[in-house]
Every structure is written in structure tokens, then in C-alpha cells.
Amino acid sequence: MPTYNIIQAVNDALKLEMRRDANVVVLGEDVGKFGGVFRATQGLYEEFGSDRVIDTPLAESGIIGTALGMALYGLRPVPEIQFADFIFPAMDQIVSEVAKYRYRSGGQFSCPLVIRSPYGGGIRGGHYHSQSPEAYFLHTPGLKVVVPATPEDAKGLLVSAIRDPDPVLFFEPKRIYRAAKGEVPEGEYAIPLGQARVTRAGHQVTVLAWGAMWHEADQAAREAEQEGIDCEVVDLRSLAPLDLDTILGSVRKTGRAVIVHEAPRTCGFGAELSATIQERCFLSLEAPIARVTGFDTPFPYTLEHEYLPRAPRILRAIRETVRF
């Protein structure tokens, strides 16, 4: 199998799906001849032409509105929002229109589009290039939200997202776009949405994470092992639909949970996970559920490495949870 980084895996998935289905089109700022700001769409314009790889004006609401119209007329658009921080001008289109179309049409119309967007900090991008907006969209019924952590998952999950009959937000952790490398199967394969991945089996504490934070959680778990602490690490992969069976099964086994995400703490997805675990696993819990998150501040430029949850901060939470 070839070794890809996440950018290469995303590019491979787009090429394969565009070759398989002539209705798959890509649109966004600089996605054409330039190949995208991170080169995720490199080579698509040359192979599929300007009718299927479309450069757009710098107008996010227009990009999503156009993709919505394409989807309703039978295409499978994959719009790119260049940075997730810029998705907010398209919020009304996504929340009020894209997410609601199946419900408001009584099931007559679906809206098969995939909004790809790099998200998260760690590249010294400052306030407008570093945010993690997944919680805003998880509050909206009708949307699926997917966050891969590895190249193999990025390709397989993106294939499933493009084939899904309903809208999917596909947030790509740009901090590890090129840093995360791994073997990726050649040709077509799909990883079903809504299936978490237990990446490390353990019996003392469950660590839940996604995207770039999964790598920090895995590092913390390996360091905890040196101290005799046995962690189970779960990569959620899909936040909606959520694989509750895997999450709850793991917490019932270990009796403890540490949740990691880089978005701000208040009303982050960790709060929803914590409430669900408390409701469903109360009698199994041996310690309070811990959250290791970003802070309730605007994303800081000079202090981003202090802001982002790193393995040492996660390791402290693991120790405190196990020793409670």
C-alpha cells in the first residue's frame, strides 16, 4: 500500500469519486488551476475540466448556496470552505437551508453535498485561521459532522460522505495535514459514517478524542503506560452520527472518561459527551468525567501552544481521574 499524508488521501478520494460518478463536482476559492490553498484539489482541474472543478468568488454564502442548488438538481457537489473560520458567512445557508431540506420537503428532496473545510490551530494562523467550529453545527439536526485523524480514515470517510444522500460537514485537521502519514489502501474503499475506532485497548480510563487531538491523546496514553496507567483510546471519527455503543461500552468497562477537544470548553462537544456518559453510565463511573479543552477565549496567536490541549495536559487529567 502507498504511504499518504492526509492531503494526499483527500485528493485521492476526490479523484476516485469524480471518476466513478460524473455528478460529483468540486467548487470553491482557488480549487481549480491553483489546486487549493493546501493543494487538496491539485490535478482535478486538469483531469476533469472547468465544468466540474469550479473556481468561485470569495463569497462563502454564495459557494454553499450554489452547492445547494446543484444538489437539488441531481449533482453531488463538494464545496470547499478554505478555512473553517470563514464558514460563518455561510451559516444561514447551511443551518436554515442545507440541513433542513429533507425535513421541510417531507422527504421529497435530499441534499447530497459534502462541505470540506480545514479546521483547528497549530499552524500559527492566528484568530481567523485556527478555530474549531464543530459544536455550532452539531447543534443543528440534519447535518452529519465528520473529523478524520489519519490518512486512511480521511480517504475512506470522505468516500462515504460523498456517497451519503444527506449533507455532511467534513472538517480536516490542517495541523496534521502533512504530519500524519500512513499506509492507505489503493482504489475505492469506504469507511461507514458513525463508527468510532478503538485505537488502544485498556481497562483503567477511556480517553475520547477526534482529529488532531487524537494524536495528542494517543501520545498521552503511551506516556501514561510508562507510569503503569492502562488507557483505552477512542477516536470518534464521526461526531454526528455518534457511535454511542462504542463510547458507552468503553466507559462502562473502564469506569472513567477523559474527553479531549481543542474548541473552547463552554458548550463544546465535550459537554454533550459528558452529559450523555453521565446519564447512561452513572452506575459504572468511578471518578468525575474530565474535559481537556481549549480555553474560553478567542484563539490566541502568540499563545496557541498554551491554548491547545497537548499530551502533558491530557496526561495530568488521566492521572487525576485514575487516582480520584
Side-chain angles (χ1 to χ4, degrees), residues 166-211:
D166 292 306
V168 179
L169 268 71
F170 198 84
F171 286 122
E172 298 163 6
K174 60 179 176 289
R175 174 180 148 210
I176 56 169
Y177 254 161
R178 289 183 169 78
K181 297 178 181 178
E183 290 188 337
V184 175
E186 293 183 277
E188 293 180 23
Y189 69 94
I191 296 174
L193 306 184
Q195 290 187 5
R197 185 171 63 112
V198 178
T199 62
R200 182 188 185 91
H203 292 85
Q204 284 184 280
V205 55
T206 297
V207 185
L208 304 169
W210 55 93

Side-chain angles (χ1 to χ4, degrees), residues 54-214:
I54 304 163
D55 278 320
T56 68
L58 198 162
E60 287 77 13
S61 182
I63 294 170
I64 301 304
T66 301
L68 169 63
M70 289 175 163
L72 295 179
Y73 276 89
L75 297 177
R76 286 187 175 267
V78 185
E80 177 182 298
I81 299 297
Q82 206 167 69
F83 290 88
D85 311 68
F86 303 144
I87 204 168
F88 300 115
M91 198 81 173
D92 182 48
Q93 289 288 345
I94 297 170
V95 171
S96 301
E97 307 298 338
V98 169
K100 305 294 196 303
Y101 230 92
R102 180 183 287 280
Y103 183 82
R104 70 187 290 203
S105 69
Q108 295 182 77
F109 296 99
S110 63
C111 190
L113 64 84
V114 180
I115 302 170
R116 290 185 42 251
S117 190
Y119 85 100
I123 63 164
R124 298 185 66 79
H127 174 64
Y128 290 112
H129 299 81
S130 303
Q131 296 175 86
S132 301
E134 66 269 22
Y136 294 101
F137 299 100
L138 289 164
H139 191 65
T140 303
L143 294 176
K144 294 183 174 73
V145 179
V146 176
V147 188
T150 68
E152 181 177 1
D153 278 2
K155 179 178 174 181
L157 290 169
L158 182 55
V159 166
S160 287
I162 292 172
R163 297 178 185 180
D164 197 279
D166 292 306
V168 179
L169 268 71
F170 198 84
F171 286 122
E172 298 163 6
K174 60 179 176 289
R175 174 180 148 210
I176 56 169
Y177 254 161
R178 289 183 169 78
K181 297 178 181 178
E183 290 188 337
V184 175
E186 293 183 277
E188 293 180 23
Y189 69 94
I191 296 174
L193 306 184
Q195 290 187 5
R197 185 171 63 112
V198 178
T199 62
R200 182 188 185 91
H203 292 85
Q204 284 184 280
V205 55
T206 297
V207 185
L208 304 169
W210 55 93
M213 290 299 101
W214 171 78

